[in-house]
Amino acid sequence: MKKAIAAGGIRLPQPLFIFILCAALLVVGLPIYAQSVESALERSGYSQTHKHSIITFFAEAEQSEIPTDLLLPKLEEGIAKGIPAPRVLGALMKEADNLLRTRALMLRSEEGRMLLVDPASWARAANLLSVGVAEDEIEQLIALCDARIEGFRPASYLYVAVMEWGLSGDTSLDLIGALLSSSIPLDSYMGVMDLLTIGRRRRIAPEELVQRIQQHLGRAKSIKELEKWIY
Amino acid sequence: MDLLEKMLSRRRTWIAAVFLLVFAGLFPAHGYAPTLLVGFYGQEFFSSDQSGQAGIRGSALLSWRTLIADNASLALYARSVGDLSPLRDGQLYDSHTLSLDALIRSRSGRILLETGLLGSGNGTIEGQAPYLRPDWHVGYEHSGDYIVTAISYSGYYCWQPEDTEDSLFQGLTLGLALDPSIRLRYGLEFLGGWETWTEGNRDDLLGSVEASAGGLIGYFHDWSVAARGGLRWSSQSGESNLFFVLESGWAWSPRRQLSLEVDAFAREELYLWPEAAAQEYDEFAAGLDFRGDWTANDRLYLVTELSAARRFADASPERRWIVTARAGIEFSF
C-alpha cells in the first residue's frame, strides 16, 4: 500500500488530502508558540475577539524576545480557573512588563547576563518584582550570586521568606551573601529559616543569630551541622 | 619526697588546665552574647487531686555558648522556675535545670560531652517530691552526606531524700538519622540500659527502639513525630512492663513577632505480671500542650500556655488529670 502511494498509483480522497495539507501547512507555517497558545485557547470559552487579542499579545511578546514558555503557564492557569479573558490578558501584560524590566536590569551586570541564559532564573527575577521586591534589591541579589550563579533561585526564595518573616533588607542580603559563599547545599537553604524560628523560640534575637550563622557558615557543610554551633 | 613532688606537680598541671578552661571561657575566641531571660506569669492549676487554685510563677534562664577553639565550644544552660499558690497551701514549689556541654568537631563527626543537674528543693507543682538528679552523656556522631550515625553512653543518678526510690541508670544508645532532604528527616534509635534502685533490692533492664520523622512544611512550619516501644524487665516481676510512646509536635512562626507550638503525647504501659504488683495496674496517659508568644521588639514577650494531661490506670490512686493555664511576660536582656 505504502509503495503504491509512493509510486502515485493510489489517489487519496480529496477531502482527506486537503486536511493533511492544511495540517502540514499549519505545523510548518505557524510558530510553536502559536500552536501552544491556540491549543490552550481551544480549551477556553473565550470569544474569538478575545482569542485574537491574546494571540496578538503573544506574537508581540515573541517579537520582544520573551519566550512563550514564560507566559504560557499564566494563560493556562487563567483558563483552568475560568478567569475572564480581559483579566487574563491584563495579567499577561503585567507579566511581560515585569520580564522586560528584569531583563533590562539583568543586562546591567555580568552575573545578570549569565542568569538571563536560564529562562527559569529570568522568570524568577520577574516574579520577585511581582511580589514587591524592589529593582535595586534584585540587582543586589543577582550580584551576590557571582560565586554561585546556580544559587540565584533558592537564594531568592529564602530572601523573600526572611523578608516576609521580618528581617530587614540589609540583614537579609548579608545572610544570603554569606550563604552563597558557603558550601551549604542549595537545596537546603530553606533550613536557614528554620534556624531563625528555633532561635526565636530560644529568645535569641534574629539579628544576633544571623551574625552567628555568618560566623560559622565557613566551617559548616550542612544546616544540621550549623545548628550545633549557633545556639 | 619524689612522690610528693610528683603529686604537687600533677596537681599544678590540673589547676593550670582548669584555669585555662575557665579563662578560655571568659575570654573566648568567638563568644556569643549570653541569653538571659526572666519571666513572670499568672496561672490557674486544676487537678483531680486538688481543687483549682490560682497562682504565680517566676522563671529565670541563662544560656550561653562560647567557642574555645575553631573546632570546640562550651555551652551553659541554667533555668529555675518557682511556683507559688497562696490560696492553696502557700508553699513555694521549684524546679531547676543546669547543664554544661562541650562540643568538639572532628574531621567527619562530632564528640559531645554533657553533664547536667535537675532538681527541686521543695517539690514541683505537678506533684514531684524533692529530688536531685545529676546526669552525664558522652556521644559521638559521624556525619555522612545523608546519613548520620551516633553512639552515646548516658546515665543519671536520682536522689530523692523524702523517698526510698533513689536509682542509678546507665544506658547505651545507637542512632541512625537519614536526611534525604531538608524537608524530611527520619531517625531510628536503639537504647539498652540498666537501672538499679540503690535503697532497695531491684534491678531493671531496659530496651527500646524509637522511629521518628520530621521536617519542614514550607518556610514557616516544622513538625515532628516519634514512636517508641520497649520493654522494662525488672527483678521485681510486678514492675516488668511493655511500653509504647507516641509523641508529636508542630511549630509555626509566620512572622518574627509570633510563635505557636503544639505538642502531644500518648503513653501506654502494659504490666506483664500485674498480679505480682502491690497494686494491679496498666496505665495509659495522654496530653496536649499549647504555647504561643508574641513580641514587638525581641525583648519583651507576651506568653500564653495551656496544657492538659490525663492518666488512666487500673489502680484508682494512679488515675488523675491535670489542666494548667498560664499567661505572662518574659523579658530578654
Side-chain angles (χ1 to χ4, degrees):
Chain A
M1 177 70 175
K2 281 180 186 171
K3 281 182 185 171
I5 293 171
I10 295 178
R11 293 174 66 93
L12 287 170
Q14 200 173 16
L16 181 61
F17 174 75
I18 291 168
F19 174 79
I20 292 172
L21 185 66
C22 286
L25 283 173
L26 199 67
V27 168
V28 174
L30 282 175
I32 292 170
Y33 81 87
Q35 295 169 41
S36 307
V37 172
E38 290 201 344
S39 163
L41 286 173
E42 276 173 16
R43 295 193 297 273
S44 75
Y46 297 160
S47 68
Q48 285 303 319
T49 314
H50 286 139
K51 284 182 182 174
H52 179 71
S53 302
I54 290 170
I55 289 170
T56 306
F57 163 80
F58 272 91
E60 286 169 1
E62 188 76 5
Q63 282 173 0
S64 303
E65 296 181 7
I66 298 175
T68 303
D69 288 349
L70 299 186
L71 293 166
L72 194 60
K74 204 161 243 351
L75 174 65
E76 289 176 331
E77 184 188 347
I79 290 169
K81 290 181 178 173
I83 296 170
R87 278 181 56 200
V88 171
L89 191 57
L92 286 168
M93 290 167 114
K94 177 81 179 157
E95 185 78 1
D97 183 50
N98 284 339
L99 286 164
L100 290 172
R101 283 168 63 200
T102 45
R103 181 169 65 189
L105 73 87
M106 289 167 94
L107 286 171
R108 288 180 209 154
S109 66
E110 182 60 32
E111 298 84 20
R113 284 191 286 276
M114 288 165 74
L115 278 174
L116 206 48
V117 175
D118 173 28
S121 296
W122 181 11
R124 178 61 194 150
N127 184 246
L128 289 175
L129 265 187
S130 69
V131 297
V133 180
E135 285 191 22
D136 63 324
E137 289 175 81
I138 298 173
E139 275 191 283
Q140 290 181 67
L141 206 51
I142 290 170
L144 291 173
C145 296
D146 60 342
R148 222 171 169 187
I149 204 76
E150 70 281 11
F152 173 72
R153 287 171 64 204
S156 71
Y157 285 113
L158 178 63
Y159 179 75
V160 171
V162 295
M163 290 281 286
E164 187 183 333
W165 190 65
L167 287 190
S168 70
D170 288 344
T171 307
S172 305
L173 287 170
D174 286 348
L175 177 64
I176 300 290
L179 204 55
L180 285 164
S181 304
S182 74
S183 54
I184 299 288
L186 300 173
D187 60 2
S188 59
Y189 279 15
M190 178 189 272
V192 174
M193 189 66 244
D194 196 39
L195 296 180
L196 291 171
T197 58
I198 293 170
R200 187 207 174 283
R201 290 202 287 275
R202 296 177 183 226
R203 302 294 184 252
I204 302 170
E207 283 72 20
E208 160 73 18
L209 196 63
V210 167
Q211 283 183 14
R212 296 184 189 185
I213 291 172
Q214 287 176 272
Q215 190 178 329
H216 281 282
L217 271 171
R219 302 186 189 97
K221 286 182 289 188
S222 67
I223 295 290
K224 196 162 187 163
E225 193 176 334
L226 190 60
E227 187 178 3
K228 302 278 182 189
W229 295 86
I230 60 173
Y231 300 129
Chain B
M1 189 65 180
D2 281 353
L3 184 63
L4 184 62
E5 279 180 2
K6 271 186 187 173
M7 285 175 69
L8 283 172
S9 170
R10 195 172 293 171
R11 193 173 168 184
R12 278 195 290 271
T13 308
W14 271 106
I15 291 169
V18 169
F19 266 97
L20 190 66
L21 202 64
V22 169
F23 277 99
L26 289 176
F27 304 104
H30 313 282
Y32 297 150
T35 302
L36 186 59
L37 189 82
V38 292
F40 300 98
Y41 319 83
Q43 61 188 6
E44 183 71 33
F45 187 80
F46 307 92
S47 75
S48 52
D49 304 342
Q50 295 135 338
S51 57
Q53 292 292 350
I56 54 172
R57 162 173 282 200
S59 72
L61 180 150
L62 170 67
S63 171
W64 187 37
R65 181 173 292 279
T66 180
L67 308 185
I68 54 174
D70 272 356
N71 67 336
S73 72
L74 281 177
L76 171 73
Y77 177 88
R79 182 169 189 253
S80 283
V81 174
D83 291 298
L84 188 65
S85 294
L87 300 178
R88 188 165 78 176
D89 52 14
Q91 189 178 339
L92 177 67
Y93 296 94
D94 63 317
S95 65
H96 312 276
T97 305
L98 176 68
S99 75
L100 184 69
D101 77 60
L103 190 62
I104 303 159
R105 181 169 42 200
S106 64
R107 181 167 293 178
S108 57
R110 282 182 293 271
I111 298 167
L112 176 66
L113 309 170
E114 193 172 13
T115 183
L117 192 64
L118 299 177
S120 172
N122 272 338
T124 67
I125 197 163
E126 290 84 8
Q128 167 74 48
Y131 74 105
L132 199 62
R133 203 190 87 154
D135 58 58
W136 52 90
H137 176 103
V138 180
Y140 176 73
E141 273 185 22
H142 180 271
S143 304
D145 286 341
Y146 297 106
I147 296 177
V148 176
T149 47
I151 182 167
S152 67
Y153 157 76
S154 58
Y156 64 77
Y157 182 79
C158 187
W159 177 55
Q160 301 183 76
E162 294 181 5
D163 213 332
T164 55
E165 295 283 314
D166 294 4
S167 67
L168 169 72
F169 173 82
Q170 296 182 87
L172 197 64
T173 304
L174 294 171
L176 191 68
L178 176 66
D179 294 331
S181 82
I182 195 75
R183 293 168 188 268
L184 195 57
R185 61 174 189 274
Y186 303 101
L188 192 61
E189 199 171 272
F190 300 91
L191 166 75
W194 164 65
E195 188 168 14
T196 183
W197 274 254
T198 55
E199 294 174 303
N201 185 23
R202 179 181 166 188
D203 287 283
D204 289 8
L205 292 175
L206 195 71
S208 70
V209 58
E210 178 181 298
S212 60
L216 304 177
I217 303 171
Y219 280 84
F220 305 116
H221 300 259
D222 64 69
W223 62 277
S224 64
V225 61
R228 187 168 67 248
L231 170 68
R232 176 180 286 274
W233 187 266
S234 179
S235 61
Q236 291 185 5
S237 55
E239 300 292 343
S240 297
N241 64 66
L242 286 167
F243 57 89
F244 306 94
V245 182
L246 194 63
E247 291 169 328
S248 64
W250 167 79
W252 182 50
S253 176
R255 296 286 184 276
R256 65 187 289 171
Q257 292 85 2
L258 180 69
S259 174
L260 300 174
E261 293 169 70
V262 178
D263 294 294
F265 79 92
R267 181 185 172 97
E268 171 78 43
E269 287 180 0
L270 297 172
Y271 284 80
L272 300 180
W273 295 282
E275 66 282 0
Q279 297 173 318
E280 288 188 21
Y281 51 83
D282 282 334
E283 285 185 4
F284 175 76
L288 191 68
D289 291 316
F290 164 82
R291 181 182 170 89
D293 65 62
W294 181 85
T295 179
N297 56 11
D298 303 320
R299 289 223 176 264
L300 187 67
Y301 294 82
L302 305 180
V303 180
T304 180
E305 294 174 348
L306 188 66
S307 65
R310 179 152 193 183
R311 183 156 73 175
F312 303 87
D314 287 348
S316 57
E318 300 295 327
R319 290 179 211 144
R320 68 183 67 137
W321 54 264
I322 295 173
V323 176
T324 308
R326 184 177 296 127
I329 56 167
E330 291 176 358
F331 188 81
S332 176
F333 291 93

